[in-house]
């Protein structure tokens, strides 16, 4: 019985403690996958009936893959069985020179020997019969765009279809002109749509080696064998291209493509480097700027394909080496050899969970498990140059309405926000907490205990949601009106306390001795209340005197700083209130545990109370004060409700006390209810929680060790 | 002088607490007090009736102007669209307090301010004139309130039961179909469902008869600007003539409002009515948490203090447990979401509630997960307090027990632990106080702004741990910050905040008192 009971207690006690500490482990496990690379496996290799087929177009469930070969035949295979489910002549009697799958995965393209560019829509229809699904391939109506004479085969081309259905085709047949054909549906007077076709040309160096059109069909990019990048805005009728900055003698451009959303140009070169280029406005002109470069591949890049889900892309070089990359995080997710001989084309499946590699006589399917490509340590903590930004920045913006949004997951603005809130609250809490604790432990008359202790306990027990509510809804609108009084108060409060003391010492001894020592706090409560009230009353004249009007206007108009009603000062006051009792009780503990004989000795040697406190008590207890401060820091860093309610929660990064901010903790509270389980945002928020955990745990451990050390020292004194 | 500075710092702290409690008390208690109703005529002839809530100096961007404006609660949201309005005092040409001004607190659209014109039944004139209305209205209103109680009874009683049975049987049927059971049984349960659906329709008919009866009589009111509005008697919560209340009536109105606040369900998207579900949810969540945290904390503390070897390992664990108390609560919330809701809850759903999927049963926030998360959050509090209690039991007590032949197990559980009960109790009360005020982790793992049903009712198994719940602290956050009409709801939030602070502070004071008793008890017995 006894032994069993003993084992029971031991076992369960140990399990409880282990499971408490398991919290850290669990959070670590949830964060772990963030930094993992892509896992790639070959799902199968299949042969195709004809040679030189295009890249494949897969359905949403990766159960079918469709190909177009140069005879104009579409072949659809079932995966992984490899059976032919559809074989149809989409273009009878037309011979194709080349075929390809468009990067959008919505149509095949090709060129004919008679100077035409082919666009052949291809999609899948899903039919549900109970829980059974059948996938039906649906080739569309082929269209041929005549862009050159019958004896001029098209050498380079690109097609883009904008969201409104307008089509743009660009083609180059050698020589120094590009032909551009644009089809736009325009409302006619009668209200019915009318297709308007415009045909233009642009001049181009004869060394052009790659063409890319963005998704709007407005911006055209070209690379040359001399290593130059050219761009045109097709809506401006300017013939000559804007040439991107030439960085010395760059290797020849061998492939280009646009990432999801069409705002980022990816440039592969003959030396295997892959550059990421943004259009940036500079002096009113849109220029191409290189944001980053991948130098993993070493052979000329032949193919670049963007991911349909994120800002990643796949690349292949002429030795058949494949690579998976992500632009935002600047990560090389995977590299490996192509699973088919003579690989020619790459295409993603619609959910980016698979890659189809087409070779000369067949194709292979790769399984991609690549859950968090957009995360790297650089993306989380370093400056990242995002699409549409003028320069690299530290930004948190996790979601947006559009599908092609680039998540910006830098934790730095949130960390800075946490530190900012903590800084302003400690600004209030340290002086009040430490000085108050010193008074309570060294000078206070015992009869005051009955007031001070409950007051501090109430202060410590106040739910933070109540403090946040008062700070955000009661204090913030009032503080805005009396900003000046905050400055006044910062000086007036200590002065009042000291002046009260001075005045008191001038009083006749008879009256003075009626107040026993240790009741100074009672005397100052009255004067402080009066001076506080006066400060509030005189706020407006004071602001008038100092700033020539309300201080709020001075901040926004003269300093040009933004002003939020819910700002760092409000948080400082609200959170300071929450931190004061923590600092107070730890510091009081340290002060009052200073061995009595030290104090008694000091007093006996003739030092007065004040000398004893500053020369004996304070130096002895200083490690305790330090741990009080860092415990207060730990509390403030993780506080959620007060900052959530008393700031605007905008993730801006500055130290302006009149601006809002967003902390790590508030960010978790705001975003985790919307974050899909297991997604990148979810795990990033777990990482934020982990940071908070480690930060506070480390800080508290240091404080605890310091206190233990101090206790031992007291015992030895 | 330094002494005075220190004293000043302490004085500021005490002052801050006093000011804060003062703000809470004035605004919180003030919420229930009926203000007089003023009739104000502006210089352009507009007449407005309402309660004056605020007065402030007009600031046109460059300092005070010496002119004042007042903020009036005008109510009549169905007519004007907004509750409050700022009025320059310069523009007021006449201000009076008409004795016949009537405030109607309504189920919908907030208050109505105006004067009564006539009572109608089925659109026909019943009674006209202020005096007659005054004598007829109360009895009529009482009848309607009784009818309302009947409707509520019907809705939560019979109709709720039938709905619950339909839901249960539908779920059972789906489970049967998923399991591929024999078709005769599923036909039988389909028949049962149909029978209950018929019963439901009957009850619904009865309900609509009641509802019609509720709307039969209407009170025609005239707003200050002369617009008339018919208000069904059944939709009136209270009819008050604030300008002719005597002290006794005013006080009884005050307490009736406090009663409503504490015991009634919220109305109008939480902005009016009571907060009973939030109080109930908080209390229930805290009690479930106590069930979880007490054995955990006590066992761990007994292990650490009585059984484990006091080496550096236990010291390190002790520091770790202590520091866990300093880890931000939101971190526990994140853990609770990942571990309890998604991992444990998701597994329970797959094993036992597969018929509901993809709609989650336990795999979403609920009161159980909220309680367990808070149990983890507060377990260090219980451990520390229990250890303190165990340490306070004198060595002689233990040795005495052992000397009398008791085993270590008996000594621990029959002598030492009971002797340290006040310490354990202190820990539990402190944990409850902490849990009652905690909001951030619960926002993630189970609170909602408006729960359709309490997590405790008369349907088997009576305690519904998977249900979402309302919480006082979250109520403050939600109503104060997410509500569309923040100005109008602020007083209610103040009252809620006051209630929460009172509860939490009381718990803390009780805990302190218990602890002090424990200390003095052992101080006297440790001879």
């Amino acid at each position: 019985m006894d032994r069993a009971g003993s084992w029971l207690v031991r076992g369960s006690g140990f399990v409880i403690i282990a499971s408490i500490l398991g919290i850290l482990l669990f959070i670590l496990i949830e964060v772990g996958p963030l930094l993992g690379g892509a896992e790639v496996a070959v799902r199968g290799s299949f042969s195709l009936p004809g040679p030189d087929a295009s890249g494949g177009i897969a359905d949403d469930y990766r159960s079918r893959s469709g190909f177009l070969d140069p005879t104009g035949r579409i072949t659809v295979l079932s995966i992984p069985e490899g059976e032919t489910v559809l074989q149809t002549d989409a273009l009878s009697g037309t011979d194709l020179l080349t075929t390809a799958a468009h990067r959008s995965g919505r149509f095949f393209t090709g060129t004919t020997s008679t100077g035409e560019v082919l666009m052949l829509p291809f999609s899948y229809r899903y039919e549900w019969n109970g829980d059974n699904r059948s996938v039906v391939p649906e080739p569309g109506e082929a269209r041929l765009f005549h862009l050159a004479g019958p004896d001029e085969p098209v050498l380079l081309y690109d097609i883009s279809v904008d969201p409104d259905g307008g089509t743009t085709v660009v083609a180059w047949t050698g020589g120094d002109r590009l032909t551009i054909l644009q089809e736009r549906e325009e409302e006619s007077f009668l209200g019915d749509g009318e297709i308007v076709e415009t045909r233009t040309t642009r001049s181009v160096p004869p060394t052009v080696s790659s063409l890319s059109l963005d998704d709007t069909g407005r911006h055209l990019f070209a690379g040359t064998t001399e290593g130059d990048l050219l761009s045109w805005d097709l809506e401006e009728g300017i013939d000559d291209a804007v040439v991107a900055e030439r960085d010395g003698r760059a290797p020849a451009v061998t492939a280009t493509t646009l990432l999801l959303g069409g705002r980022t140009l990816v440039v592969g070169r003959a030396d295997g480097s892959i550059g990421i280029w943004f259009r940036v406005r500079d002096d009113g002109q849109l220029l191409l700027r290189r944001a980053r470069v991948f130098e993993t591949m070493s052979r000329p890049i032949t193919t670049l394909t963007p991911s349909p889900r994120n800002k990643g892309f796949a690349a292949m070089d002429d030795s058949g080496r494949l690579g998976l990359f992500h632009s935002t995080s600047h990560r090389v997710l995977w590299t490996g050899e192509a699973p088919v001989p003579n690989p020619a084309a790459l295409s993603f499946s619609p959910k980016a969970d698979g890659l189809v590699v087409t070779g000369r006589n067949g194709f292979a399917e790769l399984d991609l498990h690549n859950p968090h490509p957009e995360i790297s340590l650089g993306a989380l903590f370093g400056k990242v140059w995002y699409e549409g930004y003028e320069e690299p920045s530290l930004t948190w913006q996790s979601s947006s309405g559009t599908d092609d949004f680039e998540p910006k997951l830098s934790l730095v603005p949130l960390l800075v926000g946490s530190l900012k809130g903590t800084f302003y609250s400690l600004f209030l809490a340290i002086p009040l907490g430490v000085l108050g604790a010193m008074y309570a432990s060294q000078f206070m008359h015992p009869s005051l205990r009955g007031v001070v202790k409950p007051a501090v306990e109430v202060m410590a027990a106040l739910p933070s949601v109540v403090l946040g509510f008062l700070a955000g809804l009661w204090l913030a609108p009032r503080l805005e009106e009396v900003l000046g009084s905050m400055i006044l108060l910062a000086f007036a409060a200590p002065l009042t306390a000291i002046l009260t003391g001075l005045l008191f010492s001038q009083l006749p001894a008879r009256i003075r001795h009626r107040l026993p020592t240790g009741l100074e706090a009672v005397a100052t409560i009255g004067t402080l209340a009066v001076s506080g009230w006066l400060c509030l009353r005189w706020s407006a004249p004071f602001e008038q005197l100092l700033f020539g009007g309300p201080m709020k206007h001075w901040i926004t108009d003269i300093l040009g700083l933004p002003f939020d009603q819910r700002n760092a000062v409000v948080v400082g006051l609200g959170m300071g209130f929450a931190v004061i009792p923590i600092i107070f009780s730890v510091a009081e503990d340290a002060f009052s545990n200073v061995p009595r004989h030290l104090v008694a000795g000091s007093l006996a040697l003739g030092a007065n109370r004040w000398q004893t406190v500053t020369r004996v008590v304070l130096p002895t207890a200083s490690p305790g004060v330090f741990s009080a401060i860092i415990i207060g820091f730990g509390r403030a860093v993780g506080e959620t409700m007060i900052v959530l309610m008393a700031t605007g929660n905008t993730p801006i990064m500055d130290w302006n006390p009149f601006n809002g901010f967003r902390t790590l903790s508030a960010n978790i509270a705001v975003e985790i209810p919307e974050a899909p389980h297991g997604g990148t945002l979810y795990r990033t928020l777990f990482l934020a929680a982990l940071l908070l955990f480690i930060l506070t745990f480390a800080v508290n451990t240091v404080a605890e060790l310091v206190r233990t050390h101090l206790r031992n020292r007291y015992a030895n004194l | 002088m330094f002494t005075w500075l220190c004293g000043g710092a302490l004085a500021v702290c005490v002052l801050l607490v006093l000011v804060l409690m003062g703000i809470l008390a004035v605004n919180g208690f003030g919420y229930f007090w009926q203000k007089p109703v003023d009739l104000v005529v502006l210089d352009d002839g507009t007449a407005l009736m309402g309660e004056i809530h605020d007065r402030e100096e007009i600031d046109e961007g460059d300092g005070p102007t010496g002119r004042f404006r007042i903020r009036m609660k005008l109510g009549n949201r169905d007519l004007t669209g907004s509750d409050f309005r700022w009025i320059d005092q310069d523009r007021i040409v006449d201000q009076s307090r008409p004795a016949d001004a009537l405030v109607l607190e309504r189920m919908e659209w907030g208050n109505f301010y105006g004067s009564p014109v006539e009572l109608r039944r089925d659109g026909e004139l019943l009674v006209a004139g202020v005096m007659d209305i005054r004598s007829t209205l109360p009895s009529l209103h009482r009848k309607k309130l009784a009818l309302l109680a009947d409707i509520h009874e019907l809705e939560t009683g019979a109709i709720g039961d039938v709905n619950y049975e339909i839901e249960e049987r539908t779920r059972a049927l789906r489970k049967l179909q998923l399991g591929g059971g024999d078709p005769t049984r599923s036909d039988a349960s389909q028949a049962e469902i149909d029978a209950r659906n018929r019963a439901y329709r009957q009850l619904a008919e009865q309900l609509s008869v009641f509802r019609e009866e509720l709307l039969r009589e209407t009170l025609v009111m005239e707003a200050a600007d002369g617009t008339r509005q018919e208000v069904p008697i059944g939709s009136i919560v209270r009819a008050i003539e604030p300008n002719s209340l005597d002290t006794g009536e005013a006080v009884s109105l005050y307490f009736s409002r406090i009663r409503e606040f504490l015991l009634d369900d919220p109305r109008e998207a939480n902005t009016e009515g009571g907060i009973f579900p939030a109080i109930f949810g908080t209390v229930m969540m805290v009690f479930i948490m106590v069930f979880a945290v007490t054995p955990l904390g006590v066992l761990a503390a007994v292990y650490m203090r009585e059984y484990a070897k006091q080496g550096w390992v236990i010291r390190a664990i002790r520091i770790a447990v202590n520091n866990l108390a300093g880890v931000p609560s939101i971190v526990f919330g994140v853990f609770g979401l990942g571990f309890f809701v998604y991992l444990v809850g998701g597994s329970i759903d797959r094993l036992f509630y597969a018929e509901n999927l993809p709609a989650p049963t336990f795999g979403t926030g609920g009161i159980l997960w909220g309680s367990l998360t808070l149990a983890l959050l507060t377990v260090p509090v219980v451990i520390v307090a229990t250890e303190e209690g165990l340490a306070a039991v004198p060595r002689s007590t233990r040795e005495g027990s052992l000397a009398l032949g008791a085993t270590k197990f008996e000594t621990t559980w029959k002598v030492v632990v009971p002797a340290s009960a006040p310490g354990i109790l202190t820990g539990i009360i402190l944990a409850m106080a902490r849990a009652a005020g905690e909001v951030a982790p619960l926002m993630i793992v189970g609170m909602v702004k408006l729960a359709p049903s309490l997590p405790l009712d008369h349907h088997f198994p009576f305690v519904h741990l998977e249900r979402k719940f309302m919480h006082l602290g979250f109520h403050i956050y939600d109503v104060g910050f997410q509500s569309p009409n923040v100005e109008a709801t602020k007083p209610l939030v103040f009252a809620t905040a006051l209630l929460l602070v009172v509860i939490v502070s009381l718990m803390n004071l009780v805990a302190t008192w218990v602890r002090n008793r424990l200390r003095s008890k052992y101080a006297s017995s440790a001879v």
Side-chain angles (χ1 to χ4, degrees), chain B residues 181-301:
Chain B
D182 67 299
T184 50
R185 269 182 63 194
S186 65
D187 284 349
S189 54
Q190 185 61 52
E192 277 181 43
I193 293 173
D194 292 343
R196 280 181 178 75
N197 270 326
R198 278 194 295 280
Y200 172 76
R201 274 193 293 277
Q202 237 162 19
L203 287 168
E205 235 162 74
Q206 193 183 345
L207 191 67
S208 70
V209 171
F210 277 1
R211 286 201 185 285
E212 251 167 54
E213 176 65 27
L214 206 57
L215 302 180
R216 261 186 89 194
E217 286 92 359
T218 54
L219 175 61
V220 179
M221 293 286 289
E222 192 173 83
D225 60 358
T227 326
R228 290 196 173 187
Q229 176 81 356
E230 252 183 286
V231 183
I233 309 289
S235 74
I236 296 173
V237 180
R238 270 194 209 90
I240 308 152
E241 292 188 310
N243 295 343
S244 49
L245 285 179
D246 61 36
T247 322
E249 284 167 343
V251 169
S252 88
L253 178 64
Y254 185 80
F255 283 103
S256 121
R257 283 208 177 127
I258 291 187
R259 197 195 135 276
E260 181 196 2
F261 175 70
L262 294 178
L263 298 181
D264 277 6
D265 283 346
R267 292 186 319 236
E268 294 269 323
N270 288 349
T271 59
E272 278 168 35
I275 55 165
F276 177 71
I279 299 176
F280 188 88
T282 312
V283 170
M284 183 160 166
M285 190 269 305
V286 167
F287 274 98
I288 298 176
M289 181 209 77
V290 167
F291 275 114
V293 81
T294 309
L296 287 181
V298 171
L299 267 177

Side-chain angles (χ1 to χ4, degrees), chain A residues 73-393:
Chain A
R73 177 175 54 185
I74 289 179
T75 309
V76 181
L77 269 68
S78 73
I79 311 289
E81 298 83 12
E83 288 159 10
T84 306
V85 287
L86 177 81
Q87 198 163 46
T88 170
D89 270 329
L91 297 153
S92 46
T94 313
D95 268 345
L96 296 171
L97 291 178
T98 60
T99 60
H102 190 256
R103 61 173 186 268
S104 67
R106 295 206 305 265
F107 51 90
F108 292 110
T109 62
T111 53
T112 67
S113 54
T114 51
E116 290 148 326
V117 173
L118 163 77
M119 178 175 150
L120 175 57
F122 181 80
S123 60
Y124 293 93
R125 197 177 70 231
Y126 306 101
E127 286 173 355
W128 291 90
N129 178 20
D131 285 347
N132 297 321
R133 167 185 74 223
S134 59
V135 181
V136 184
E138 288 198 320
E141 194 72 24
R143 297 199 53 197
L144 289 167
F145 298 96
H146 299 269
L147 282 131
D151 50 348
E152 289 180 298
V154 171
L155 300 176
L156 293 171
Y157 68 96
D158 197 17
I159 302 181
S160 91
V161 178
D162 68 31
D164 301 329
T167 311
T168 307
V169 187
V170 58
W172 180 69
T173 55
D176 58 1
R177 301 304 288 176
L178 290 172
T179 312
I180 298 136
L181 189 145
Q182 287 187 302
E183 273 187 8
R184 293 281 181 276
E185 190 169 339
E186 276 172 22
E187 293 275 308
S188 71
F189 288 111
L190 295 169
D192 46 344
E194 189 181 331
I195 301 214
V196 177
E197 191 186 287
T198 49
R199 192 181 285 262
T200 54
T201 64
R202 295 286 186 279
S203 81
V204 73
T207 51
V208 63
S209 55
S210 172
L211 289 175
S212 282
L213 266 172
D214 77 354
D215 293 0
T216 60
R218 178 175 167 178
H219 297 280
L220 173 63
F221 305 94
T224 70
T225 52
E226 287 156 335
D228 292 339
L229 281 177
L230 315 173
S231 73
W232 292 264
D233 183 339
L234 296 180
E235 267 176 29
E236 293 170 6
I238 299 167
D239 193 42
D240 286 319
V242 177
V243 181
E245 48 175 0
R246 280 178 221 213
D247 36 358
R249 199 177 294 137
V253 173
T254 50
T256 56
T257 193
L258 288 150
L259 291 187
L260 176 69
R263 286 184 291 272
T264 303
L265 182 69
V266 187
V267 180
R269 294 180 190 268
D271 65 344
S273 69
I274 302 170
I276 303 290
W277 294 71
F278 293 151
R279 265 182 294 131
V280 179
R281 191 168 287 282
D282 191 9
D283 283 339
Q285 202 180 9
L286 273 176
L287 294 178
L288 278 171
R289 280 278 154 75
R290 196 177 76 185
R292 56 188 77 93
V293 64
F294 294 94
E295 289 182 323
T296 320
M297 315 282 270
S298 52
R299 305 275 312 153
I301 304 294
T302 55
T303 310
L304 288 169
T305 305
S307 157
R309 278 298 166 102
N310 53 41
K311 303 292 175 185
F313 60 95
M316 183 164 65
D317 67 14
D318 68 353
S319 69
R321 199 168 171 74
L322 303 179
L324 279 179
F325 305 87
H326 196 273
S327 163
T328 316
S329 61
H330 199 184
R331 272 179 79 186
V332 182
L333 299 161
W334 176 80
T335 58
E337 296 303 322
V340 288
N342 305 318
L346 290 177
S347 51
F348 275 98
S349 65
K351 289 181 178 166
D353 51 355
L355 193 64
V356 182
V357 189
T358 317
R360 228 184 111 67
N361 295 310
F363 70 99
E365 281 235 347
L366 295 177
D367 281 326
L368 307 183
H369 182 67
N370 186 16
H372 312 293
E374 59 272 64
I375 291 295
S376 64
L377 287 178
L380 287 170
F381 299 105
K383 283 196 171 183
V384 175
W385 195 346
Y386 298 105
E387 278 186 351
Y389 281 54
E390 303 287 302
E391 58 189 8
S393 66

Side-chain angles (χ1 to χ4, degrees), chain A residues 2 20 461 473 553 610 645 696 701, chain B residues 2 61 323-324 409 480-481 508:
Chain A
D2 189 44
I20 292 172
L473 281 186
H553 294 200
W610 157 239
M645 296 162 93
T696 49
T701 307
Chain B
F2 182 70
N323 290 352
L324 212 56
F409 186 77
F481 286 81
N508 270 289

